[in-house]
Amino acid sequence: MSLTGTPFFVTTLVLVVLALALPLALWGRMGGPRFLRQLARLLMLLFCQATAVLTVFVAVNNANSLYDSWDDLLGTGSHVKAAKDLGPDGTGGKKAADRPKVKQKFEPATDPVLGQGVLKTELKGRISGVEGEVYVWLPPQYDDPAWRDKKFPVVEMLPGYPGSAKAWLGTLKAHEQIKPLMEKGEVAPFILVAPRTMILGGKDTGCANVPGQVNADSWLSVDVRDMVLDTFRAEEKPDHWATLGYSAGAHCAAKLALSHPDRYRAGVGLSGYNDPAAEPDSLTAKDPELRRRHDLLNILRETTAKTPPRTALYLSGAPGDGYESGLALQKEAKAPTTVKVVRISPNAGGHGTAVWKSQVPDVFRWLTTILK
């Protein structure tokens, strides 16, 4: 039975009713030794507590798109089929022109939480060795005959950890929020792409390449990007590509944008962090050298020492929840790198989806000014 399906949630509700009915029906009717009667009553009370907790967990999980499957929840799933050393650029020496074009087959997503117009595919990464689902939403102009010769800008959307690929289109309703703004011309007609990021059981990959373990960076910045370009009318130049994430996904979004100015023009991070050790399950935080290399401040310093990247960052957060991290990057940035920092009120709702959902329209208005 699916972890996120309606049947499982209904099952938990039935169990709650049963757990309440048992002590009401049997509490005073139990026979036998006193010890056994007390033990039976204790077990009934524990059953009540357990079913109540389970129901709340399922409701919260469904509302926030944390775990998409039992494997994600238990940390037993792995979407990594190979993790060879792909070199500093993450391509394994295979230039874009040398990688054969393969049009990916998509089908309408069936999960009702995603709403209408969302497409889904199972992608096998040819470079990264990662396999996973990718959701895509096309703007209303995409099938308009007047736009048939036009290519579109792209935003890759990354959830936090734990987090489902469906989060931005399910919980945060990004496409439903910006569609009317696109129709009115306030927001550019972006192609929205939401790839799986929980690809290594029980670990936050930090969207990094760690030879022998995972090539999460190449999965997102090479394989997913190639698939979009091969399958849809998407702009190829980095000036029309951006990353967007919240929490651990914010760290990833900023890291990908800073690390690959040849692939992305902008990165948006909501309630993120610079040091990967901020996430206890971070793969890159376990080793001092990996932690240093994947700290956003160090990435920015090293790229700036060579040539400041033409990268635009939009970083928002409340004090103690991403705001200071954004200011640190802003202080370090040198033109043409730009960093816009937005302070969120500490009373806005904390580190949660309601806060990130409310920022979606402003984020896409900003992206419209950057991805011209």
Side-chain angles (χ1 to χ4, degrees):
M1 189 178 293
S2 171
L3 175 64
T4 58
T6 300
F8 183 61
F9 182 58
V10 172
T11 300
T12 65
L13 293 176
V14 172
L15 288 175
V16 168
V17 173
L18 177 62
L20 291 173
L22 280 176
L24 291 175
L26 302 177
W27 193 269
R29 299 182 180 182
M30 292 182 179
R34 181 181 178 184
F35 171 75
L36 291 179
R37 295 199 307 270
Q38 290 177 338
L39 178 61
R41 289 166 180 164
L42 176 61
L43 291 175
M44 286 191 293
L45 292 176
L46 291 176
F47 185 44
C48 286
Q49 293 291 325
T51 55
V53 170
L54 177 62
T55 301
V56 171
F57 165 77
V58 173
V60 171
N61 184 61
N62 290 349
N64 294 278
S65 297
L66 300 175
Y67 299 98
D68 207 25
S69 68
W70 290 103
D71 281 340
D72 289 343
L73 174 62
L74 300 175
T76 56
S78 176
H79 295 259
V80 179
K81 306 306 176 184
K84 60 183 180 181
D85 190 342
L86 297 176
D89 68 350
T91 65
K94 296 182 179 180
K95 297 180 180 179
D98 299 330
R99 300 194 291 267
K101 293 184 178 296
V102 178
K103 188 171 183 178
Q104 189 75 10
K105 183 180 179 181
F106 276 79
E107 295 180 352
T110 57
D111 193 330
V113 74
L114 295 171
Q116 296 182 345
V118 178
L119 305 173
K120 179 184 178 182
T121 192
E122 294 292 333
L123 178 64
K124 295 182 178 180
R126 292 176 291 163
I127 300 298
S128 67
V130 174
E131 298 180 3
E133 72 273 21
V134 181
Y135 295 91
V136 169
W137 180 80
L138 302 173
Q141 292 90 337
Y142 192 88
D143 293 321
D144 186 333
W147 291 69
R148 63 180 178 272
D149 297 323
K150 301 291 185 182
K151 292 185 177 182
F152 295 80
V154 181
V155 179
E156 277 190 58
M157 306 186 299
L158 313 174
Y161 175 86
S164 165
K166 297 184 292 189
W168 277 101
L169 300 170
T171 303
L172 275 68
K173 302 294 182 185
H175 57 316
E176 295 182 6
Q177 291 195 69
I178 63 175
K179 181 180 179 181
L181 301 179
M182 290 179 177
E183 292 171 337
K184 290 188 291 186
E186 295 182 22
V187 165
F190 296 105
I191 295 175
L192 305 184
V193 183
R196 168 175 278 272
T197 55
M198 288 184 66
I199 55 180
L200 196 60
K203 295 178 182 178
D204 168 33
T205 67
C207 301
N209 279 4
V210 182
Q213 296 192 62
V214 66
N215 286 320
D217 184 318
S218 296
W219 160 247
L220 297 169
S221 69
V222 180
D223 285 330
V224 172
R225 194 176 190 277
D226 281 354
M227 180 274 293
V228 173
L229 291 172
D230 292 350
T231 308
F232 303 101
R233 299 199 317 276
E235 291 281 6
E236 184 174 2
K237 294 182 179 178
D239 279 357
H240 306 287
W241 280 73
T243 55
L244 166 61
Y246 62 80
S247 191
H251 173 80
C252 283
K255 188 178 83 70
L256 291 175
L258 288 172
S259 301
H260 303 296
D262 60 325
R263 299 168 202 173
Y264 304 101
R265 172 71 175 90
V268 178
L270 313 180
S271 303
Y273 49 83
N274 295 334
D275 185 348
E279 169 48 58
D281 288 334
S282 170
L283 177 65
T284 57
K286 306 303 180 185
D287 177 87
E289 177 59 19
L290 282 176
R291 178 179 175 183
R292 185 196 67 78
R293 282 167 40 201
H294 292 282
D295 187 301
L296 299 188
L297 270 175
N298 290 329
I299 293 174
L300 180 57
R301 286 167 181 157
E302 291 174 7
T303 54
T304 299
K306 300 173 185 177
T307 302
R310 186 172 172 268
T311 302
L313 296 180
Y314 178 111
L315 306 172
S316 74
D321 188 27
Y323 180 63
E324 292 82 1
S325 296
L327 291 178
L329 289 171
Q330 187 181 61
K331 182 179 179 180
E332 196 70 30
K334 292 180 174 58
T337 306
T338 61
V339 180
K340 177 182 176 68
V341 181
V342 177
R343 183 182 186 276
I344 303 300
S345 170
N347 302 319
H351 193 82
T353 53
V355 174
W356 304 320
K357 183 177 181 179
S358 67
Q359 298 178 65
V360 167
D362 286 341
V363 162
F364 278 89
R365 289 189 181 98
W366 179 81
L367 284 171
T368 298
T369 68
I370 300 297
L371 307 185
K372 296 181 181 179

